[in-house]
Amino acid sequence: MGSELPAAAPPQPKRSTAAAAVARRRIGRELWQFWLDPPPYCRPGPSPVKDHFHWEVVIDGPAATPYAGGVFPVDVWFPYDYPFRPPKLFFKTKVYHPNIDGRGRMALDIFQDNWSPAFTISKLLLGFVSVLFDPLLDHPTNRCIAKQYKHEYEVYEEKARAWTQKHSSTPIVSHYPPYAVIGSTPPAVPHFPATAARRKAAASSASGSVSSSRIPLLMKDESIRRRTMKFFQGYDLSPHGSDMELLTMRSDRQSPYLSF
């Protein structure tokens, strides 16, 4: 059975009608884009979206990671002055990961000094999937897990897989609007699968014999912003042609799935 963390709405500043209207239109467009062209391993949550500023998505555990087979619901909260401030994303179940804290927050630099209004929810979710593949070990929220990942990867992998089975194994059926993309096979995400076997093989080829209990980190860690920008160059998340027109046209009118 899944084990959910207590949901807590982040504090919102005093609502500005004009700013909220701008944010609502922007979020509406991003929501349509998410439905029409979801990022790899991501899909809608189980309930219809009734509030532009708060909805849920589901991340399916990526293959070649200890999270494979897991189902991870994520709460998304948008500020009223979005996109000038970043949204807040919370994993609703416990995740054993160097970059995810006890409240389900993934501490990334793009949510702080490196935020840009050019980012979208689809791009953020793609970044989340990337960090599930390869943790950002220079920005850990849990240093003990980060140290374990570096030096005792097999132990980390076993525990992360056990947490996934215990807390994130409950199936979740997505609520799809009629026009959404359903059941498409996710394309490959550029990544370096951090499986113990791959790390051992790479380490052995680089330095001969390496103890299995101390597998070194073979590539220099980088910020999620830099990593995500590399992904954007090779993975186009923006709709084209008639899709963009449809996205804009539909987001400007009230949808039965976005009613207040």
Side-chain angles (χ1 to χ4, degrees):
M1 292 294 293
S3 177
E4 292 201 358
L5 299 172
Q12 288 273 38
K14 186 176 180 180
R15 183 168 186 165
S16 165
T17 303
V22 172
R24 190 177 186 278
R25 286 194 295 271
R26 165 69 179 261
I27 296 168
R29 287 194 295 269
E30 292 190 21
L31 184 58
W32 280 96
Q33 179 179 342
F34 175 75
W35 281 333
L36 293 172
D37 187 18
Y41 299 103
C42 300
R43 53 189 173 89
S47 303
V49 174
K50 296 182 179 180
D51 181 356
H52 278 67
F53 295 94
H54 176 218
W55 30 285
E56 185 178 314
V57 301
V58 175
I59 297 178
D60 293 312
T65 72
Y67 313 104
V71 181
F72 302 92
V74 178
D75 250 341
V76 184
W77 296 86
F78 291 91
Y80 293 133
D81 53 355
Y82 181 80
F84 302 104
R85 286 198 305 126
K88 305 290 186 183
L89 282 74
F90 298 86
F91 282 87
K92 297 180 68 176
T93 58
K94 295 181 179 180
V95 185
Y96 193 81
H97 191 281
N99 298 112
I100 301 175
D101 66 15
R103 294 180 56 192
R105 298 174 300 180
M106 186 178 279
L108 304 177
D109 56 353
I110 54 175
F111 292 124
Q112 301 171 18
D113 297 337
N114 284 324
W115 172 253
S116 167
F119 285 120
T120 65
I121 187 61
S122 289
K123 294 174 181 178
L124 290 178
L125 290 171
L126 184 63
F128 269 44
V129 172
S130 166
V131 175
L132 287 178
F133 272 115
D134 292 294
L136 296 169
L137 298 180
D138 54 347
H139 300 289
T141 59
N142 189 313
R143 295 186 180 278
C144 292
I145 299 179
K147 184 177 180 180
Q148 187 180 68
Y149 183 98
K150 284 184 178 181
H151 303 299
E152 298 178 289
Y153 183 80
E154 292 90 341
V155 177
Y156 156 81
E157 187 175 52
E158 182 179 353
K159 192 159 186 177
R161 189 175 289 116
W163 274 44
T164 299
Q165 177 65 30
K166 181 178 180 180
H167 302 294
S168 305
S169 60
T170 303
I172 297 177
V173 178
S174 292
H175 175 85
Y176 287 99
Y179 41 80
V181 176
I182 303 175
S184 60
T185 302
V189 180
H191 70 284
F192 300 89
T195 60
R198 183 185 180 96
R199 289 164 66 87
K200 284 180 181 178
S204 297
S205 63
S207 57
S209 176
V210 178
S211 169
S212 62
S213 63
R214 294 185 61 83
I215 305 300
L217 185 65
L218 298 177
M219 67 178 192
K220 188 179 185 302
D221 211 357
E222 57 186 346
S223 74
I224 188 61
R225 179 187 176 92
R226 195 174 303 118
R227 182 191 295 183
T228 306
M229 291 308 296
K230 288 181 180 179
F231 287 175
F232 298 163
Q233 295 173 4
Y235 183 83
D236 187 7
L237 286 170
S238 61
H240 301 279
S242 60
D243 281 352
M244 176 59 81
E245 295 172 4
L246 178 66
L247 194 66
T248 304
M249 177 183 67
R250 285 179 169 172
S251 64
D252 288 337
R253 70 169 184 263
Q254 189 69 22
S255 166
Y257 296 92
L258 292 169
S259 58
F260 287 96

